[in-house]
Amino acid sequence: MKLVHISDIHLTCPGERMGGLDPHRRFTRALDEVRSKHQDADRIIITGDLTHWGEPDAYAALKGALVDLPCPVRLLVGNHDDRANFQAAFPDQPRDENCYVNYAEDLDSTRLIYLDTTGPHTHAGHFGADRIQWLEAQLQDCTHARLFMHHNVMTLGQPAEDKIALVEADRPAFADLLRKHVDKIDYLHFGHIHAICSGTYCGIPFASVRSTGNQSLPDFAETELLHGAPMEPSFAVIDVSEGTTVIHDIPFTWDGPVFSSGTGWDDWAKPVAAE
Ligand SMILES: [Fe+2]
């Protein structure tokens, strides 16, 4: 199973820039990379912040960009999204009985579970009792699961960033559910922090992915402000087979030199500099 994980594309109304760059061009380049090098992907999963301001025109642009792709695309919402505008633009998008963008599908004996961790007018994550109940039902009758979501459900040791993690009130129930199903949840995947971070939480491995726009700089002292920078973007390719997960970081905008070397090289002698 090969999954392309893209996040935080922050699309605007076409023509508007965001953070000094054109998010549409960046997203197009990411999709072009998928089209050219990952035709064998099984899913493209975009874990929220599909738009920056949540306007209908931004969602229309997203819809227009999702063409000629090698596999189905799964869309999640983030704190910058407007759930109503998203669902209006994508009326066929699955939703749970409470109209959250929570849904799941089975692929290669693994249940891919897509979570809606957003709340109205807050950048922090929310996943209250009604959503926990839905997730519990999804986990009950599967043997393997992989959770995709926008927000990190754990704190990461960065005080400012942690203010917009899953809210403290919702963390214990989520953690309890993870511990209860630790044997069947293979991985947690999220975006939101615009940086790569990996570890384990409640005994389950997790990994985040960069934004296709600007990146954030980890800061372990700052308590208020998030610091971003126009560093190279990337997305992730997740290869899953026979109990092994490999996550590749794909720097899709790199257009500088590429050096080649091979397995047959013999370079033990240090070259003598030409005089
Ligand atoms: Fe974001």
Side-chain angles (χ1 to χ4, degrees):
M1 178 166 58
K2 182 175 184 177
L3 309 171
V4 173
H5 182 192
I6 298 174
S7 199
D8 294 84
I9 59 178
H10 287 264
L11 297 187
T12 54
C13 292
E16 295 176 352
R17 296 175 79 79
M18 203 290 291
L21 56 83
D22 177 357
H24 299 271
R25 175 161 166 69
R26 281 289 182 84
F27 184 49
T28 296
R29 289 187 71 173
L31 293 182
D32 284 346
E33 178 85 359
V34 174
R35 290 185 187 99
S36 67
K37 296 181 180 169
H38 303 290
Q39 279 290 325
D40 57 342
D42 293 296
R43 293 290 183 275
I44 298 166
I45 301 160
I46 310 178
T47 51
D49 281 357
L50 304 172
T51 67
H52 191 65
W53 300 110
E55 302 106 318
D57 284 353
Y59 289 111
L62 171 60
K63 198 167 192 175
L66 299 176
V67 294
D68 298 327
L69 293 165
C71 62
V73 180
R74 300 299 182 230
L75 301 173
L76 288 71
V77 287
N79 50 298
H80 280 273
D81 286 302
D82 180 301
R83 190 187 292 121
N85 286 346
F86 167 72
Q87 290 176 327
F90 294 89
D92 296 332
Q93 170 74 32
R95 59 188 78 177
D96 71 10
E97 61 184 16
N98 295 312
C99 287
Y100 293 117
V101 188
N102 287 325
Y103 57 113
E105 62 178 335
D106 293 337
L107 188 66
D108 291 353
S109 305
T110 295
R111 182 157 296 175
L112 303 178
I113 304 179
Y114 310 110
L115 302 181
D116 179 339
T117 55
T118 64
H121 297 115
T122 169
H123 290 295
H126 288 262
F127 209 81
D130 50 353
R131 287 181 258 195
I132 286 286
Q133 199 172 22
W134 178 89
L135 178 55
E136 170 102 64
Q138 296 303 316
L139 291 168
Q140 284 293 349
D141 63 344
C142 68
T143 54
H144 283 281
R146 192 168 285 266
L147 274 51
F148 288 85
M149 63 205 93
H150 180 69
H151 291 85
N152 45 306
V153 296
M154 73 296 287
T155 57
L156 300 171
Q158 301 177 48
E161 191 79 62
D162 288 344
K163 285 186 173 179
I164 57 170
L166 181 67
V167 291
E168 197 169 352
D170 289 350
R171 271 180 232 150
F174 202 105
D176 286 347
L177 191 58
L178 294 179
R179 288 189 198 96
K180 182 175 175 183
H181 295 282
V182 63
D183 292 337
K184 61 174 68 170
I185 302 174
D186 294 334
Y187 235 101
L188 311 174
H189 300 277
F190 56 89
H192 190 45
I193 64 170
H194 292 219
I196 294 173
C197 185
S198 61
T200 59
Y201 180 61
C202 299
I204 300 168
F206 69 79
S208 63
V209 63
R210 293 187 205 273
S211 165
T212 56
N214 285 320
Q215 313 310 315
S216 69
L217 292 160
D219 194 317
F220 304 95
E222 173 64 48
T223 57
E224 290 298 327
L225 301 176
L226 300 176
H227 298 297
M231 298 181 296
E232 287 291 312
S234 65
F235 61 78
V237 168
I238 305 167
D239 271 316
V240 181
S241 70
E242 297 176 1
T244 298
T245 295
V246 180
I247 302 178
H248 308 267
D249 180 51
I250 310 295
F252 62 92
T253 59
W254 178 250
D255 55 7
V258 175
F259 307 115
S260 296
S261 54
T263 54
W265 72 85
D266 185 5
D267 60 352
W268 308 114
K270 185 176 180 179
V272 178
E275 294 187 13

